[in-house]
Amino acid sequence: MKPTDADKPSASLSPAMGLMVPTSLPSKGFPSLRTKFVLFFTIILAIACSTLSWYFIENRREAMAGNLQQLGTILLTNVVRNEHFQYAGLVAEDRTTLQQFIEGLLAVEEVVYVVITGSDGTVLAQHMKATGRSSSSLVQPVDHPRYPDSQIAKQLLQAPRATPLMTRLPASPARSNQFAWEEVVYDFAMPVLRTAKGNTALPPFSLQLDEDNAGSSPAQASLVSGIVQIGLTDAHLKRELTTLMTNILLFTAFTVVVGALGVHLLTLRITRPLRDLGTVAKQVAEGHPPVPLTPSTRDEVGQLTSMFNLMTHSLQDRSLAITANLATIKRQVSQLTALHQVSAAIVGTLDQSQLLNTILQLLIDNLGYTRMFLMLRDQERNTAYVAQIAGVTPDIAEAARQLDLPIQDDGGLQADLLIHGKPLLVASLETIADRMHPPMLDLARRSGVTSFVAVPLLSHNQLLGYLAADRGSQPCTEEDLHMLLTIASHVAAAIDNARAYSHLEELAQHQEQRIAERTEELSIANERLQEQDRRRSLFLSVASHELRTPMTVIRSFADNMRDGIAGPVSEQQLTYLTRIGHNLSRLTRIINQLLNWSRLESNNDMLCLGPVCVETTAILVAESLRAVAAEKTIALEIAHKDGLPAVLSDHDKLEQILWNLIGNAIKFTPPGGRITVDFQTTPEGFVQTSVADTGCGIDQEHIAMLFHEFSKVPSANPTAQGAQLGLFITKSLVTMHQGTIWVQSTPGDGTRFFFTIPVAAGGGKAEAPEPSTFPT
């Protein structure tokens, strides 16, 4: 059977899954499923028919052979026991009578020869069909060396018996070539017996046995008048068997052909839907919309077709959902990239014109805005002017730079932005045309603006201007407004810093007599920077505290929903709630790290030193984290050290150090790993503590940056990373205790952190107070 296109192997890349999937039926050179079914059932049917035919023919042959033997026995017995044959023919040697009996026997189709032998061993009469001749003399010469066998008559004359003796004789070559099988002649021989003396039934001229035979067997106690031999051939039987076999072979061939055709039609109802399924599967794998299949039957193949339709529809929906999620992720990545690049641009330059041009171009490239412009406020003249514009033609840009709009509280859009500091989302330009200054409205219409967002630039409670953007023919959304609000704070800070730097440059260019004035202005600018830094630290501290309460509420509601308190939760909802909880935990770690970092920056952390047992503190921390380690099947072991002296430390800070190091080890150790904490004293008077794990390890090139704040050290488990302040805080706390911290790590073999704390005066032991609780 020639393979079809569906039988050829191929594979294609699934756009939704990103995997190579097979899209064809069996490879070229291999028989198809339909061919296998037809061959298998044809062979089974042929074997079954052949077996039954052989069984029938064999039984028929045995039955016909039995009938032939029974026929020979009956013919011979009837002739031998015929009194007319005995006395008139054999004893009287009446050849006419013998001829009549011979002709009567030869009338039977199966009889091929008849031989009558006298009591003295001479042949009285014989006839063979094979010779095809007859004679008036019944005694004919034997023309075949194999039969009739004269030894059979001699044997019966010497040892007469009352039953026929059957002997198988091969036929002559001339006769055996006429048939498919070799012809066999069955020789039936039997003596003609007369009763011994004393029997009145014998005729007067019968011979009598001698006195010496009186003690012989019953057969020998009688007189042998002669021997009759009848030869029966099985040629007729074998002709019937040949005809029967021919008919059976024809019937078997017909049955096999009909059966193969039936199996072919049956398998066609199975393979055709499977081929259609393969075609649709190939369409799905290549990313094309699948064509729904119509079930042709209601059996398992029809059910498979229905389930396949359902599966392809589900895969299509899932592909659309994945595409939508990828678009959302891509958009968020673009937003984060824009924020990062804007921050880098702010740090990289203080030139206001270059800074604003770079920022606007970055936002257009990364966030997909079509046009952006930035209005700044002139405090001295109380007017607004276009400081920078991007995404427009040069003539529109030149016209925009000529604008100089007064700032008045007249209920217009400019008053909302520059006086009241309200962000705006305008869905349609024409709906607010009456609230815009005519020059600005004309410029917007010439640029093709239909919908835009605008946010004020606020720095140190001063409105510096506003930032506006649009997406061409697409309407702006709330997401655009929120994103622009986030960027606006960075831009305002950059403008404020650029202006401060500009002022500093102006002061540097003044003459020498105004050095005092410049110094005073520089001092004021420095105070502003310090105030900004203080506000930043205060903002981090306040934000960290204020974010904890709503995050706790969010976690509580998420846990309640996940536990089914608000009703049944589907598997997908459970997955989303679990992700929410995971990200809340991560956000909590980041907030705690930022809070601790802000405290360190502001030098608000003071040590409360006293003798503390490091081993006891480590045990308390390990017990608090053991449940977290058990979730990942991580073994957490605290090695006991005899005679370990107490250290001079702030217990809470020491507990925080151990909490950070052991917690990090748990986060970056794969399931089934081990974490070991051990202690030893050093000759310099310190207690050295080590925290070893069997995690992924750290490359040597990244170890130098490990203890820096906001270090960008890559990790094998990025989801476990926070703000990357933990080790910086830990190092700061160890340094505050006059100790040192370092790390040894090999990629793939785990990491070991060491830190030292000075021994308390006197080296006595102390019991650690109740531990503080540090969030994980």
Side-chain angles (χ1 to χ4, degrees):
M1 181 177 293
K2 184 179 180 180
T4 62
D5 292 340
D7 297 328
K8 298 179 181 179
S10 63
S12 55
L13 187 64
S14 174
M17 302 300 178
L19 300 174
M20 292 299 293
V21 293
T23 61
S24 68
L25 294 176
S27 302
K28 182 177 180 181
F30 290 89
S32 64
L33 182 63
R34 183 172 58 194
T35 303
K36 292 178 182 178
F37 268 111
V38 172
L39 289 178
F40 176 75
F41 282 104
T42 301
I43 293 172
I44 293 298
L45 192 59
I47 293 174
C49 292
S50 301
T51 303
L52 292 176
S53 300
W54 173 84
Y55 179 75
F56 177 75
I57 292 173
E58 186 65 21
N59 285 346
R60 182 65 177 166
R61 186 190 65 77
E62 291 179 358
M64 295 176 72
N67 292 336
L68 182 65
Q69 295 174 11
Q70 187 178 7
L71 175 62
T73 302
I74 293 173
L75 291 176
L76 183 60
T77 304
N78 288 338
V79 171
V80 170
R81 294 179 180 176
N82 190 291
E83 294 182 356
H84 181 67
F85 173 78
Q86 292 181 7
Y87 300 112
L90 186 60
V91 176
E93 296 186 0
D94 185 358
R95 283 168 170 68
T96 302
T97 302
L98 294 177
Q99 181 66 27
Q100 292 175 353
F101 275 99
I102 289 175
E103 291 177 354
L105 291 172
L106 291 176
V108 179
E109 184 178 6
E110 287 81 3
V111 177
V112 293
Y113 68 85
V114 179
V115 179
I116 301 175
T117 306
S119 59
D120 57 354
T122 61
V123 177
L124 300 178
Q126 70 174 1
H127 192 87
M128 294 179 60
K129 287 182 179 179
T131 61
R133 59 183 177 172
S134 62
S135 175
S136 58
S137 174
L138 295 178
V139 179
Q140 303 292 335
V142 178
D143 61 354
H144 191 273
R146 295 185 181 179
Y147 64 83
D149 191 355
S150 60
Q151 296 298 324
I152 297 175
K154 293 179 182 180
Q155 179 183 354
L156 291 177
L157 288 174
Q158 294 176 2
R161 51 189 292 173
T163 58
L165 174 63
M166 187 187 74
T167 305
R168 291 187 60 182
L169 301 175
S172 64
R175 295 181 61 87
S176 61
N177 290 337
Q178 300 175 7
F179 307 100
W181 295 292
E182 182 181 0
E183 179 187 357
V184 176
V185 174
Y186 295 90
D187 183 277
F188 293 87
M190 186 176 179
V192 181
L193 301 177
R194 290 179 297 163
T195 307
K197 48 184 170 177
N199 188 350
T200 56
L202 292 175
F205 51 83
S206 298
L207 300 175
Q208 295 183 358
L209 295 175
D210 296 334
E211 295 294 337
D212 298 336
N213 295 333
S216 303
S217 62
Q220 294 173 344
S222 302
L223 296 177
V224 178
S225 300
I227 304 297
V228 180
Q229 289 180 259
I230 301 176
L232 276 73
T233 181
D234 62 352
H236 177 69
L237 178 149
K238 290 178 177 176
R239 280 196 299 272
E240 291 184 1
L241 288 178
T242 302
T243 303
L244 179 62
M245 181 177 293
T246 301
N247 294 334
I248 289 177
L249 288 176
L250 293 175
F251 176 77
T252 300
F254 175 77
T255 304
V256 170
V257 171
V258 172
L261 181 59
V263 172
H264 172 76
L265 296 177
L266 178 61
T267 54
L268 189 62
R269 292 175 60 86
I270 299 176
T271 57
R272 182 176 296 168
L274 292 179
R275 189 180 297 112
D276 294 340
L277 290 177
T279 302
V280 176
K282 182 178 180 180
Q283 294 176 356
V284 174
E286 292 176 351
H288 303 301
V291 178
L293 298 175
T294 302
S296 58
T297 60
R298 295 185 179 180
D299 54 10
E300 288 82 354
V301 176
Q303 295 175 5
L304 176 61
T305 302
S306 300
M307 294 304 297
F308 187 82
N309 286 334
L310 182 62
M311 181 191 71
T312 55
H313 181 71
S314 176
L315 286 176
Q316 191 175 13
D317 292 344
R318 185 173 299 177
S319 177
L320 293 176
I322 291 175
T323 303
N325 290 336
L326 288 176
T328 302
I329 293 173
K330 184 178 180 180
R331 184 169 61 254
Q332 292 176 350
V333 169
S334 299
Q335 294 173 356
L336 293 176
T337 303
L339 284 174
H340 172 72
Q341 293 179 351
V342 167
S343 300
I346 291 173
V347 174
T349 180
L350 289 174
D351 181 79
Q352 180 172 313
S353 178
Q354 181 183 355
L355 177 65
L356 296 181
N357 182 59
T358 303
I359 290 175
L360 294 190
Q361 196 60 47
L362 286 174
L363 296 180
I364 289 177
D365 294 340
N366 291 281
L367 300 183
Y369 293 121
T370 304
R371 289 170 285 268
M372 295 194 72
F373 75 97
L374 191 146
M375 295 282 290
L376 289 181
R377 182 172 186 171
D378 189 334
Q379 297 289 346
E380 296 179 358
R381 297 186 297 117
N382 197 27
T383 59
Y385 63 94
V386 177
Q388 192 66 39
I389 189 170
V392 297
T393 59
D395 57 330
I396 295 178
E398 183 62 28
R401 292 190 182 94
Q402 302 300 323
L403 292 178
D404 191 14
L405 305 177
I407 300 175
Q408 299 174 355
D409 193 1
D410 54 2
L413 296 183
Q414 193 157 291
D416 291 342
L417 291 167
L418 296 178
I419 296 177
H420 303 291
K422 295 180 180 179
L424 297 177
L425 170 60
V426 177
S428 175
L429 178 66
E430 299 304 326
T431 58
I432 49 87
D434 57 337
R435 299 183 59 199
M436 294 184 64
H437 286 284
M440 183 66 70
L441 178 62
D442 179 66
L443 193 63
R445 286 173 174 172
R446 288 172 57 190
S447 302
V449 176
T450 58
S451 173
F452 66 91
V453 289
V455 294
L457 300 176
L458 182 65
S459 177
H460 301 291
N461 293 326
Q462 290 185 356
L463 287 169
L464 305 180
Y466 66 89
L467 182 65
D470 78 298
R471 292 189 176 275
S473 59
Q474 298 180 2
C476 294
T477 62
E478 291 285 343
E479 184 179 357
D480 296 323
L481 183 63
H482 295 320
M483 189 62 196
L484 217 57
L485 279 172
T486 303
I487 296 174
S489 60
H490 294 75
V491 175
I495 293 174
D496 198 18
N497 291 338
R499 286 182 173 179
Y501 178 74
S502 178
H503 293 163
L504 290 177
E505 283 190 336
E506 290 178 1
L507 290 174
Q509 293 175 1
H510 287 329
Q511 296 180 355
E512 200 173 48
Q513 64 267 21
R514 302 192 58 185
I515 291 177
E517 183 181 351
R518 291 201 306 270
T519 304
E520 182 179 359
E521 291 178 358
L522 182 60
S523 177
I524 294 174
N526 187 41
E527 288 177 1
R528 286 182 180 179
L529 292 176
Q530 291 180 356
E531 178 65 15
Q532 183 178 358
D533 185 68
R534 185 188 66 80
R535 289 184 179 183
R536 177 184 61 81
S537 300
L538 180 60
F539 167 77
L540 288 174
S541 178
V542 172
S544 300
H545 284 290
E546 292 299 322
L547 286 175
R548 285 183 176 182
T549 300
M551 285 177 56
T552 303
V553 174
I554 293 172
R555 182 189 296 277
S556 175
F557 281 118
D559 291 341
N560 290 340
M561 291 178 67
R562 186 175 56 189
D563 295 337
I565 296 177
V569 180
S570 66
E571 183 177 357
Q572 187 176 13
Q573 291 171 341
L574 182 60
T575 302
Y576 289 167
L577 291 172
T578 303
R579 292 179 179 176
I580 289 173
H582 172 75
N583 284 280
L584 283 173
S585 299
R586 184 179 180 187
L587 188 57
T588 301
R589 292 195 302 269
I590 295 174
I591 291 173
N592 289 331
Q593 290 178 352
L594 289 174
L595 181 58
N596 293 330
W597 175 64
S598 65
R599 290 175 179 173
L600 291 174
E601 287 289 316
S602 59
N603 293 323
N604 289 333
D605 267 359
M606 302 298 294
L607 298 181
C608 183
L609 300 177
V612 180
C613 179
V614 180
E615 181 180 349
T616 304
T617 306
I619 293 173
L620 293 175
V621 172
E623 290 300 322
S624 300
L625 291 173
R626 201 170 296 278
V628 179
E631 290 180 358
K632 296 176 64 177
T633 64
I634 295 175
L636 183 55
E637 179 182 357
I638 307 298
H640 176 67
K641 175 73 173 180
D642 292 329
L644 190 68
V647 297
L648 185 62
S649 171
D650 183 323
H651 175 265
D652 291 339
K653 300 300 183 292
L654 178 60
E655 187 175 354
Q656 185 175 359
I657 292 170
L658 290 168
W659 189 286
N660 288 344
L661 294 178
I662 298 175
N664 273 356
I666 294 174
K667 285 190 294 183
F668 296 102
T669 299
R674 173 178 293 277
I675 298 173
T676 305
V677 182
D678 58 13
F679 317 93
Q680 66 179 10
T681 57
T682 64
E684 293 80 12
F686 290 84
V687 172
Q688 176 180 299
T689 305
S690 71
V691 179
D693 62 60
T694 58
C696 55
I698 306 170
D699 291 335
Q700 294 297 319
E701 59 182 343
H702 300 306
I703 289 181
M705 302 172 55
L706 199 60
F707 296 100
H708 294 177
E709 56 186 346
F710 303 108
S711 59
K712 303 298 182 182
V713 178
S715 170
N717 186 13
T719 58
Q721 291 181 320
Q724 296 187 336
L725 291 170
L727 291 176
F728 170 77
I729 295 171
T730 302
K731 180 180 180 180
S732 300
L733 294 177
V734 172
T735 304
M736 292 171 64
H737 284 83
Q738 307 302 316
T740 56
I741 183 170
W742 69 97
V743 62
Q744 295 176 356
S745 181
T746 303
D749 292 336
T751 305
R752 181 185 292 269
F753 283 86
F754 300 89
F755 71 95
T756 59
I757 302 293
V759 176
K765 293 186 179 181
E767 295 184 358
E770 290 297 323
S772 303
T773 301
F774 290 91
T776 61

